[in-house]
Amino acid sequence: MSDVPGLPADAGEQRELLARLRAVVEAKDTEITVLRAELEAERELRRRLELKVAELERRLGSDSTTSGTPPSKDTIAARERRKAGRQSSERERRKDRKRGGQPGHPGAGLSREPDPDRREELPPPAECSRCGTGLAGAERAGTWWSQVRDVTVTTLVTEYLLPLLACPCCGKINAAELPPWAHPGSVSYGPGLNTAALVLSAYGNVPAERAANVIRMLLGVPVSPGFVDLASERLSGRLEDAGFDEAMQAALADEPALAADETPVNLLDSRAGLAEDDAGAPHVLVVRTPHRGLTWLRALGSRQHAAITTILSFFTGFLISDGYGAYQDLLPQLAGIQQCCQHVIRRARAVTKLGPGSLQSWAADVIDVLREAHQAVEDARARGDPELDAELLAKFRQRYDEAVAFGIAHNRHRDWHDGNHPGYSLGCWLREYKEQVFLFTRVFAVSWTNNCSEQAVKAAKRHQAVSGYWHTQATLARWCRIRSYLDSAAAHGLTALDAIRDALAGKPWLPPLPAVH
């Protein structure tokens, strides 16, 4: 036995105790290693969650100035921020400026009609408006006037008598030719009611049932929702028979530059009439001339590349678009692609808000370069210069290259919750598509943005916001044809009412024929 209290009596007991202590230490080491690994995993998870929260906060704080969100979808707070960020208007800066139209403005108010349809004299005043004295027997001091413009709605029923003539050769009975909107042996609605239905449904975005109720309340004619829908079908058929789509494609093919954009839409039955391999959400493709003279809307079963390239296969000029890859597939047949600088500016503005500090100021430099280059192009065009000064253009491109290189270098290894940092992704994209971004500085026929097509996209968005959806791909295609016709005809000075009446009469407006080269 050991004489020292607490120690084992012999060597065997000592070895056993040391083994137990060693086992305890090894277990603790293992536990510490596991805890450290878990701690590192928790730290990594927390880091990623912080980055993700930062990204979500950035998205919540984004608006139409930093993303592709349309201004109509901005929150009230975003609208107030955008309003506060604008420069003060001339009215706010000049205290001596009066409200309303300024000198030289033609105005759009009502003017007195020198030859009114009727005149009606009202009873004279009974008492003085100042002192209350009765005016019975008072001497007349003259006549003042007031005109009121109004409309009266009357229903006109016309019965066409059709002479019947028997053919002396074969004996067939032949009837006189009816107007396009009439049918033999039946009662139908004329061009006025058809036009009203089309203006409400195709131009005013009113659903068929509501349009029928409006016609009943305003015009006193109890039409049905089916009639409203049939009016659209009838107009679309007239346009198709006249070769409107073919004429539009031929006119667009002759243009030096076109702008294109697309937007998703809702269909009640999104797969009706589509092939099984045409998977994806329905879209509306807008093809428009930069001068806004021609607008062509086409229904897409999906946003697949093939759907877009098939429609645009006729065009060989310059195309203005956003960064969607389907347009890049068309590059071999095109003269060139202009990347929409407004989209670039939005992406760059979003990166400037990521920080830290002024590290992302390179994106603001890109915005400045593009805006200055655009102003230089506008000044050169105003002077009648055929191209931008080569030395000035070289300076713009050098500043652009330096800013992009800085953005790539300083964001290459920066953490992000999912993939590369947006600053690095944007820098790489700007470097790869530099020539497409700067195309407007070399080809003056090309606009630096595709705002014209983005504005035309609003027609589909507005119709969807009011009506909610289209029923099938066929009704969407029908609406696209009618809206293309009305918008393009309006750009050539034809009102919607006249354009609809002409088309129903079988003489629709068609795009001007391309010049023979």
Side-chain angles (χ1 to χ4, degrees), residues 125-416:
E127 60 182 28
C128 179
S129 59
R130 176 188 296 175
C131 63
T133 302
L135 297 179
E139 182 180 355
R140 186 160 184 163
T143 302
W144 205 15
W145 64 272
S146 174
Q147 283 191 352
V148 176
R149 297 193 177 192
D150 204 353
V151 295
T152 58
V153 178
T154 58
T155 301
L156 178 64
V157 178
T158 301
E159 182 172 287
Y160 296 99
L161 302 179
L162 311 180
L164 303 177
L165 298 179
C167 176
C169 178
C170 64
K172 176 178 172 56
I173 304 299
N174 298 273
E177 185 176 358
L178 280 167
W181 48 84
H183 306 281
S186 65
V187 179
S188 55
Y189 293 119
L193 289 172
N194 277 270
T195 300
L198 286 161
V199 168
L200 288 172
S201 59
Y203 204 74
N205 307 313
V206 182
E209 184 174 358
R210 199 178 307 164
N213 290 334
V214 171
I215 292 175
R216 175 181 56 80
M217 290 186 290
L218 290 180
L219 305 182
V221 181
V223 302
S224 66
F227 162 74
V228 175
D229 185 73
L230 185 60
S232 295
E233 181 68 30
R234 186 178 296 112
L235 177 59
S236 177
R238 295 280 194 275
L239 296 176
E240 188 174 8
D241 294 342
F244 173 76
D245 290 332
E246 292 78 8
M248 180 66 78
Q249 179 172 304
L252 292 173
D254 196 53
E255 291 286 331
L258 295 178
D261 199 6
E262 71 289 331
T263 183
V265 294
N266 296 328
L267 296 187
L268 188 62
D269 187 358
S270 60
R271 309 318 306 161
L274 297 178
E276 294 183 0
D277 58 348
D278 193 9
H283 277 67
V284 168
L285 173 69
V286 174
V287 183
R288 200 179 195 190
T289 54
H291 53 76
R292 295 169 172 78
L294 298 175
T295 303
W296 200 29
L297 286 75
R298 299 301 304 272
L300 299 177
S302 71
R303 199 175 177 231
Q304 292 180 350
H305 287 207
I308 294 178
T309 56
T310 299
I311 291 178
L312 291 174
S313 60
F314 68 90
F315 187 61
T316 58
F318 295 99
L319 184 66
I320 312 165
S321 67
D322 55 24
Y324 186 47
Y327 302 115
Q328 296 297 320
D329 293 347
L330 295 165
L331 195 56
Q333 74 186 48
L334 296 174
I337 291 179
Q338 169 65 53
Q339 289 292 335
C340 175
C341 290
Q342 194 60 250
H343 282 77
V344 175
I345 289 174
R346 291 173 192 162
R347 293 180 63 184
R349 190 181 290 120
V351 168
T352 60
K353 297 183 178 182
L354 296 180
S358 60
L359 185 62
Q360 306 298 345
S361 61
W362 67 273
D365 295 338
V366 170
I367 295 175
D368 292 340
V369 170
L370 293 179
R371 285 177 172 168
E372 291 174 22
H374 171 245
Q375 187 59 53
V377 169
E378 292 298 305
D379 294 341
R381 186 184 285 119
R383 293 191 301 268
D385 296 343
E387 58 184 13
L388 199 61
D389 179 72
E391 184 177 353
L392 180 60
L393 177 57
K395 291 180 179 179
F396 285 138
R397 293 171 68 96
Q398 181 180 358
R399 288 171 55 194
Y400 177 93
D401 291 340
E402 291 174 352
V404 169
F406 182 92
I408 293 174
H410 286 74
N411 290 295
R412 185 187 303 275
H413 301 296
R414 191 169 297 281
D415 290 334
W416 198 247

